Amino acid sequence: MRNELENIKVPLRIQLSGIWASVMCCYIYGDYFELYVPGKVEGLTSGQHLLDTPMKLFAASLIMALPSLMIFLSLILPPKSARWLNIVVGIFFTLFTFWVGISSLTMWHTFYVFLSFLESLLTLLIVVKAWKWPRITHP
């Protein structure tokens, strides 16, 4: 008698939602760890930071809300909508986080570069999985 582990097939919607959740964790940790970079907190409290206007802060909030919404939308949208939204938003975030990673190349931001490239790989995986969304074949 062999003691094998059961391998349950995880539905694609749950896979996509889980990957988006992983992406969100990387974003949150990256932003949290950035607070440990020397001078960062002082810059935030003095108003000397990238998000120094209400519109920039709103734009950043809008961009960062998308991945968290994708966790939910991947589960509830109709298949065709979920597929295309995952492809479009996934491509946007693959390019966006890759650009952020490249533009953050400094000694103190090695962690941020690592997380950005990891986020890019995860969102690229989302695009590939959504692109290959299984189809129903009718006889």
Side-chain angles (χ1 to χ4, degrees):
M1 175 181 194
R2 291 172 47 190
N3 189 8
E4 292 184 32
L5 298 175
E6 183 178 2
N7 186 17
I8 299 170
K9 184 171 173 23
V10 179
L12 179 60
R13 288 176 177 270
I14 294 174
Q15 290 179 39
L16 293 170
S17 184
I19 300 168
W20 280 115
S22 295
V23 168
M24 281 303 305
C25 288
C26 288
Y27 287 153
I28 291 166
Y29 278 119
D31 290 342
Y32 173 74
F33 291 151
E34 191 175 24
L35 296 174
Y36 290 93
V37 172
K40 183 65 176 185
V41 173
E42 292 82 6
L44 290 172
T45 56
S46 70
Q48 308 237 326
H49 50 83
L50 181 65
L51 304 175
D52 57 356
T53 68
M55 281 310 294
K56 288 180 183 176
L57 192 56
F58 176 73
S61 298
L62 184 63
I63 288 171
M64 295 319 303
L66 285 173
S68 58
L69 287 173
M70 290 305 296
I71 296 168
F72 176 63
L73 295 175
S74 295
L75 296 171
I76 62 128
L77 287 177
K80 192 178 256 186
S81 300
R83 178 179 183 255
W84 282 109
L85 195 58
N86 272 283
I87 290 170
V88 170
V89 176
I91 289 171
F92 170 77
F93 275 96
T94 299
L95 297 173
F96 177 75
T97 55
F98 188 78
W99 173 76
V100 167
I102 292 205
S103 63
S104 299
L105 287 170
T106 66
M107 179 61 127
W108 270 102
H109 286 94
T110 307
F111 71 94
Y112 210 72
V113 172
F114 166 73
L115 289 171
S116 293
F117 287 122
L118 182 57
E119 293 156 11
S120 294
L121 289 175
L122 288 169
T123 52
L124 185 60
L125 180 61
I126 288 168
V127 172
V128 169
K129 284 187 168 287
W131 188 264
K132 295 180 176 183
W133 196 295
R135 301 190 182 276
I136 296 174
T137 54
H138 298 285

